[in-house]
Amino acid sequence: MEPITKFAIAADGEVTMYVNHEGTYEHEDLALNQRLSFDASTNQIVLTTTHEDYVQLVAYAQTPDPADDVANFVVTSTTYADLAGTVITKPTDHLADDGIAEDQDHDGSWDDSVSGTAGNDVRHGGAGGDHIRGNDGDDRLFGEEGNDHITGDAGNDTISGGARADVISGGLGNDRVSAIDAIPSTVGDNAFAFVGTAAFTAAGQIRVEQVGADTLVSLNLDTNLATAEMSFILQAVASSTVSAVDFVL
């Protein structure tokens, strides 16, 4: 039987995903290129991941045992489509997977599952969409290529997501998201300037914006002021409480 993934479905149809990590079901934050949808007529949940040139759709259905927990779902199919919606075979043009294992949780959300110990660990995800967990200790975690899920857990961790859309959770402790040059086109490691909720006026700036109950943090790395090169969400954080002291500029 496929591994079980748990889902909570709110009255308005919003879906929350819980994945088994070493025997404990934990809330799974989606990457910026992922969304969950629920079809009440079929009682099916679909996880859609949009890549640069194709879309992956992972369908989940409730476990067949009527005595089982209604929150328990299993993967029933994984399909792929191009950006026009035409079904295609599984793409083969990914970067090589150079992590320690391929999709250990068998849920299609990441390619590698990499965990640390209770000590001070260094872990690399390599290419592909990885799930990296530091566990306790002051860890250094590197997602590198792919849409990664990185969790520091307890300790003062240093986390670098790398390329593409990553989901980062520091956990307890004073954590640092590092290795970001404010203006990559110039020589040296340039510092950022925090502009609050104001619009970008130059390269190398960080701004915040309230989006519902969350704060969207955007980073501008070049002279194109209309588009942020990097962004992340601070969940359940008011933008009014975020200031320059929250960043290592």
Side-chain angles (χ1 to χ4, degrees):
M1 182 176 178
E2 289 282 348
I4 292 174
T5 301
K6 291 182 178 289
F7 292 97
I9 305 167
D12 61 359
E14 182 178 355
V15 184
T16 305
M17 183 178 189
Y18 298 86
V19 174
N20 189 339
H21 296 303
E22 300 178 357
T24 301
Y25 279 91
E26 299 179 3
H27 174 241
E28 179 73 1
D29 291 318
L30 299 184
L32 295 178
N33 67 331
Q34 294 181 307
R35 65 179 178 87
L36 285 166
S37 58
F38 172 63
D39 186 339
S41 65
T42 61
N43 207 31
Q44 184 179 72
I45 292 171
V46 176
L47 172 63
T48 302
T49 304
T50 303
H51 297 275
E52 291 181 359
D53 54 0
Y54 71 95
V55 177
Q56 179 190 45
L57 300 100
V58 180
Y60 296 82
Q62 284 182 313
T63 53
D65 185 351
D68 208 350
D69 188 336
V70 295
N72 290 354
F73 284 71
V74 293
V75 174
T76 56
S77 67
T78 300
T79 56
Y80 302 86
D82 61 24
L83 299 184
T86 303
V87 175
I88 59 175
T89 58
K90 182 177 181 180
T92 57
D93 57 352
H94 283 315
L95 293 171
D97 177 11
D98 59 357
I100 63 169
E102 183 176 3
D103 195 9
Q104 289 188 352
D105 295 277
H106 305 291
D107 69 350
S109 296
W110 52 77
D111 294 331
D112 303 311
S113 181
V114 184
S115 297
T117 66
N120 302 329
D121 306 301
V122 178
R123 293 291 185 268
H124 294 263
D130 311 305
H131 185 270
I132 304 172
R133 167 147 238 153
N135 291 317
D136 293 346
D138 301 335
D139 307 308
R140 297 173 61 201
L141 309 175
F142 302 89
E144 297 165 339
E145 293 287 342
N147 301 322
D148 307 307
H149 294 65
I150 307 176
T151 304
D153 291 314
N156 302 325
D157 306 307
T158 299
I159 300 173
S160 174
R164 298 201 176 185
D166 305 306
V167 176
I168 295 174
S169 174
L172 298 176
N174 298 317
D175 304 307
R176 176 177 178 178
V177 179
S178 69
I180 305 173
D181 183 1
I183 311 176
S185 61
T186 62
V187 177
D189 186 5
N190 300 277
F192 281 96
F194 181 75
V195 298
T197 57
F200 291 132
T201 59
Q205 294 181 335
I206 298 176
R207 69 179 302 272
V208 294
E209 176 183 353
Q210 193 71 38
V211 180
D214 307 322
T215 293
L216 173 66
V217 181
S218 300
L219 289 72
N220 185 47
L221 309 182
D222 60 24
T223 56
N224 180 1
L225 306 182
T227 305
E229 281 65 53
M230 185 178 300
S231 63
F232 57 91
I233 292 287
L234 300 177
Q235 293 184 323
V237 173
S239 61
S240 59
T241 66
V242 181
S243 66
V245 298
D246 297 309
F247 302 92
V248 181
L249 300 171

